[in-house]
Each structure stands twice: as C-alpha cells, then as structure tokens.
Amino acid sequence: MAHHQYSTRGASNSDNVNGQSNETNILISSLKASFEKSFNDLKDEIINLKDVIIKNLLDENSTLKSKISTLEKRVEKLEMENNQLGQYGRRNNLEISGIPDEIYGSSLEKTSIEILKSINVDVETSQIEACHRVGKKEKSTGSKKTIIRIVNRKYCLQALLNRKNLKTVDKSKITGLNANSNLFIGENLTPYNSKLSFMCRILKTAKRISNTFTKNGVVHITKTSTEHPTKIFHETDLGDLFPEFKFEGVTNW
C-alpha cells in the first residue's frame, strides 16, 4: 500500500507572512494612534500657549496705554504750567500794532508813549523798562509789532481798558503816524497762547463760537452771546469742546 507524504512548508510560510503582516498593521495602527495623540496634545498645548501669549500681550498693551495716558496728562500739565509761568512774566508787557517800521530806537518809545497818553494812560519815560520790535510784519498793518514793557502793571491794565478809545483818537497828532494809521493795543501773549487765540478766531470765523478774547493772558471763548466765557488753557480743551472741527493752517508755534 502506497503512502503519500504531504508537505506543510508552504502553509507554514503563508501563516508566518500573515502573522507578520498583522503585527505590522497593529504596530502601524499603534504608532498612528500614538502620533495622533501626540499631535493633538501638541496642538492643544500650542493653542493654550497662544491664548496665554495673547492674554499677556493684551494685558501688557493695556498697561502701556494706561502709562502713556498718564504720561500724556503729565506732559499736558507741565506744558500748561510752563505756559502760565511764561505768561506771568509778560504781565507788564503791551503789544502795539500799527507803528510804522521807519520809527525805531528812542523815537519808537516816544511814539508808544504818545499813543498811550492819547487814551489817557499817563505813563512817563521813567516807567518804560523796554521798547522794541518783535516778530514778522503783520499783513493788516504792514509793520512789526512793538513790545513795550512798563514797570508798573497798573498802566498796562489801564491801557487794555481804554484801548477802545483808539477809534476816536486823532492819530495825526502822534509822532510818525497819520490819521489813517491802524493802531491796536493788546496783551503780549506767549507763543502758545497766541496759537490758542488764533485757533479760537478760526472758530469764530467759522461761526462755531460767538466771541473770543484774552484776559490776564488767558484765552476765553463764548459759544453763544448769553453764556459765560470758558477759559482755554490747552489745545485739548478745544478738542473736547469741538471734537469734529478741523483747524486748517494751524502749526506748532
């Protein structure tokens, strides 16, 4: 009787291959799951870190804004204090517009005194500490302003009170002037107060306010003819009152 022998080598190799394939798939799946978990963990960590960074930046930005605001207020306060100090040093000064540039030196002082006397301010040469020209020629008069410094401030106050009488004065009787001379007496403002006054005149021209004037070196405005004057110490005062208004032609003075 013949005996048949069957080889199992082929089946065994196939089982080994299948087993290795399964193990590889399991390993790949495991690595994939591990990678996905690591990736998701890293992504969450990055998102959390981003949120922390953004929060820290926002907090820092808020702190810096607060510091800047505080510093701006300090600068504004120092500017106003410095301006007020400068204006106080000019309290004994008067500005006279309309004296021809051809008049200078001792003649300038003589003419200035005659102008003051014409409006009943009886000041003498001994009361004059200084008298000189300043700035550029004015378009309205064609000449530079004259600054006159008087020892006794009461004469300055009296001149400012009586300056309206210049309209009726016979200017031809004043040395170097003629009947048509366009004279004006005003306070000697600091450059910054001059700028504020200019800005307020722009507002008046634009009919945003009723009137503007200076008193003791301080710029005032009235929005209507019936309200009390408001003092203007800084550009921010006008910015708060007229936030939408654009001041054309205003530069740093």
Side-chain angles (χ1 to χ4, degrees):
M1 181 175 180
H3 295 281
H4 297 282
Q5 294 180 351
Y6 298 95
S7 173
T8 59
R9 182 177 299 175
S12 179
N13 288 339
S14 176
D15 290 342
N16 289 338
V17 170
N18 290 334
Q20 290 175 358
S21 177
N22 290 335
E23 289 178 0
T24 300
N25 291 336
I26 292 172
L27 179 59
I28 291 173
S29 297
S30 176
L31 289 173
K32 182 179 178 182
S34 177
F35 174 77
E36 288 178 348
K37 182 178 183 305
S38 297
F39 177 79
N40 289 330
D41 290 344
L42 182 59
K43 184 175 71 172
D44 292 340
E45 185 176 346
I46 291 173
I47 291 174
N48 292 334
L49 184 60
K50 182 191 71 173
D51 292 340
V52 170
I53 291 173
I54 291 174
K55 182 179 182 304
N56 289 340
L57 289 175
L58 289 174
D59 291 343
E60 184 178 357
N61 186 54
S62 178
T63 301
L64 289 173
K65 281 185 177 180
S66 178
K67 288 182 178 179
I68 290 172
S69 178
T70 300
L71 289 173
E72 286 177 340
K73 288 178 181 178
R74 287 182 182 177
V75 169
E76 181 181 323
K77 182 181 178 182
L78 288 173
E79 285 178 343
M80 288 192 293
E81 289 176 350
N82 183 61
N83 183 55
Q84 289 169 6
L85 182 62
Q87 189 61 61
Y88 183 78
R90 297 167 183 249
R91 67 193 184 283
N92 284 31
N93 296 356
L94 289 173
E95 285 186 2
I96 303 178
S97 298
I99 302 177
D101 287 342
E102 292 75 20
I103 301 175
Y104 57 90
S106 59
S107 296
L108 181 62
E109 181 178 306
K110 183 176 184 293
T111 298
S112 299
I113 290 175
E114 288 182 20
I115 291 172
L116 293 176
K117 286 188 174 183
S118 73
I119 56 172
N120 299 319
V121 180
D122 196 21
V123 63
E124 301 297 335
T125 301
S126 59
Q127 286 286 329
I128 306 302
E129 185 175 324
C131 184
H132 58 85
R133 298 285 184 174
V134 67
K136 300 178 180 179
K137 288 187 177 184
E138 297 181 285
K139 292 181 179 179
S140 58
T141 63
S143 60
K144 296 180 180 180
K145 290 181 180 179
T146 297
I147 300 294
I148 183 168
R149 185 171 180 83
I150 307 175
V151 175
N152 194 328
R153 186 167 179 260
K154 73 176 184 180
Y155 294 112
C156 294
L157 296 175
Q158 189 177 357
L160 293 171
L161 183 64
N162 295 354
R163 60 185 171 179
K164 59 181 179 294
N165 297 330
L166 282 172
K167 295 178 180 179
T168 58
V169 167
D170 184 0
K171 303 176 184 68
S172 64
K173 294 182 178 180
I174 300 174
T175 302
L177 304 185
N178 58 61
N180 297 321
S181 295
N182 183 21
L183 293 177
F184 179 78
I185 297 175
E187 295 183 271
N188 179 216
L189 301 177
T190 62
Y192 190 75
N193 281 340
S194 294
K195 177 182 179 180
L196 291 179
S197 180
F198 177 64
M199 294 173 73
C200 291
R201 291 198 298 275
I202 291 176
L203 287 170
K204 184 179 179 181
T205 300
K207 297 182 179 181
R208 299 302 303 273
I209 60 175
S210 173
N211 194 24
T212 179
F213 59 93
T214 64
K215 184 177 181 181
N216 295 325
V218 179
V219 180
H220 295 68
I221 65 169
T222 51
K223 281 190 173 182
T224 65
S225 58
T226 57
E227 72 171 14
H228 292 292
T230 299
K231 294 180 179 180
I232 304 298
F233 293 104
H234 199 270
E235 291 174 75
T236 52
D237 296 334
L238 294 175
D240 292 339
L241 290 170
F242 307 96
E244 78 294 346
F245 191 83
K246 303 298 181 183
F247 291 93
E248 301 294 339
V250 179
T251 57
N252 292 327
W253 289 27

